[in-house]
Amino acid sequence: MLMEKLILTCAITGAETTKEMNPALPTTPEEQAEAACACWRAGASIIHLHVRDEAGKPTQSVERFRDAIERIRKKCPVIVQISTGGAVGEKIEKRAEPLKLKPEMASLNVGSINFGDEVFVNLPKDVEMLAEKMKEHAIKPEIEVYDYGMLEYGVKLVKKGVIAAPAHFQFVMGTGHGISGEPRNLCRMADFLPEGSTWTAAGIGRYQLPIATQAILMGGHARVGLEDNIYWSRGVLAKSNAQLVERMAQLATALRRPVATVDETKRILGLP
Ligand code: KMH
Ligand code: ZN
């Protein structure tokens, strides 16, 4: 099977991880630019970006996103994918606001799911609203799915034209309330995608390394980073996001699946 080069995404910050959990978590725009570009140097071509306020709390502030994105852009050419998921409980209008900044990509969560003791709410009307705004601003959505039913719904949206084809999917596996990181689950989800779709897989916690490795072998793309996993190995904290990226880039090379540059990633995903 002829495979495209491997797109490595790094989810550098997220909304749930704290510096108390791992001091290497970048939370200020300066730290985020530094971390994003270290990841780029290590082989990542996409940065999945959440931002934090001055107190380190998750925010969907347009100004905070603008600051982080401008700082990243000054340092390196990595593709920025902003989060429209934000933190659990954030209002949908606030979640949509950073789309005004017209980043190359944005996450699009296509269903609701339990998250810890709360519910991460993504109503169909809100999913469609976000998809519409992404279309308006020529932003490529990354369709975030956390279980098989959500995948079916995401595919339905592509078939209905709410999301343009060929679409890009992200399988988030091992959250504890959605699909787990069992190898067969990734095979099943990848099999269900319409012809021409692209996909990335993100394993949460201990699933990060095996799921990313499986994605390399299957011809998908891989996401790592402190948003999803704070550890390097069992009980040992990761030193940085770039350390996690570097391991995947090395593994990919060893498995004869070279890492895609930013330009190659743009071609593979049809980004301008
Ligand atoms: N923080 C999670 C509730 C996304 O970025 O779109 C949602 C999340 C997904 O991280
Ligand atoms: Zn996220």
Side-chain angles (χ1 to χ4, degrees):
M1 180 175 46
L2 193 64
M3 291 183 194
E4 286 282 12
K5 286 191 176 173
L6 175 77
I7 300 171
L8 276 179
T9 297
C10 191
I12 58 172
T13 302
E16 290 79 26
T17 313
T18 63
K19 275 199 195 285
E20 287 69 44
M21 292 157 74
N22 186 329
L25 186 78
T27 55
T28 67
E30 295 89 331
E31 287 172 352
Q32 290 189 305
E34 195 57 54
C37 295
C39 289
W40 170 72
R41 286 191 295 275
S45 51
I46 301 177
I47 297 299
H48 172 76
L49 187 67
H50 290 249
V51 293
R52 302 291 176 94
D53 66 15
E54 257 112 56
K57 297 269 174 296
T59 174
Q60 288 296 103
S61 150
V62 175
E63 282 322 305
R64 208 63 179 175
F65 267 107
R66 192 197 309 276
D67 191 1
I69 293 170
E70 281 177 0
R71 284 173 196 273
I72 293 170
R73 301 245 189 269
K74 271 191 199 139
K75 274 180 174 293
C76 67
V78 73
I79 295 163
V80 175
Q81 177 195 94
I82 63 159
S83 169
T84 65
V88 173
E90 181 64 278
K91 287 202 176 60
I92 194 72
E93 296 76 21
K94 287 296 289 179
R95 285 168 51 184
E97 275 180 15
L99 293 173
K100 288 179 197 153
L101 297 171
K102 301 184 187 171
E104 294 98 326
M105 297 182 77
S107 61
L108 178 64
N109 297 271
V110 291
S112 302
I113 182 175
N114 291 333
F115 226 87
D117 290 330
E118 299 173 294
V119 182
F120 178 37
V121 179
N122 292 286
L123 299 176
K125 69 176 170 61
D126 295 335
V127 174
E128 295 210 13
M129 178 276 286
L130 288 173
E132 194 50 51
K133 280 195 194 299
M134 290 183 203
K135 247 190 203 159
E136 206 178 290
H137 295 307
I139 298 167
K140 174 106 180 179
E142 179 179 85
I143 305 169
E144 312 288 321
V145 302
Y146 301 78
D147 69 25
Y148 203 92
M150 229 186 269
L151 168 60
E152 291 187 282
Y153 180 62
V155 169
K156 207 184 281 177
L157 291 176
V158 177
K159 290 194 172 151
K160 270 172 62 183
V162 175
I163 299 167
H168 181 64
F169 290 78
Q170 168 77 267
F171 305 132
V172 185
M173 306 177 71
T175 61
H177 301 288
I179 202 158
S180 81
E182 285 290 307
R184 62 189 166 179
N185 289 343
L186 186 50
C187 296
R188 284 181 184 148
M189 289 204 287
D191 259 4
F192 189 75
L193 292 179
E195 189 72 32
S197 309
T198 49
W199 60 272
T200 298
I204 304 301
R206 68 188 168 87
Y207 288 120
Q208 183 163 92
L209 180 58
I211 281 292
T213 308
Q214 190 182 346
I216 296 175
L217 294 170
M218 286 176 61
H221 304 283
R223 169 169 127 175
V224 293
L226 297 175
E227 170 169 346
D228 302 336
N229 163 48
I230 58 171
Y231 293 104
W232 171 254
S233 58
R234 193 179 169 88
V236 180
L237 291 176
K239 288 196 184 113
S240 65
N241 281 291
Q243 186 193 28
L244 296 169
V245 172
E246 194 177 26
R247 174 165 62 185
M248 290 326 300
Q250 283 169 356
L251 255 172
T253 306
L255 294 169
R256 301 192 187 279
R257 181 98 195 275
V259 165
T261 63
V262 166
D263 283 346
E264 287 164 341
T265 297
K266 288 183 176 168
R267 180 188 54 74
I268 295 167
L269 297 182
L271 301 177

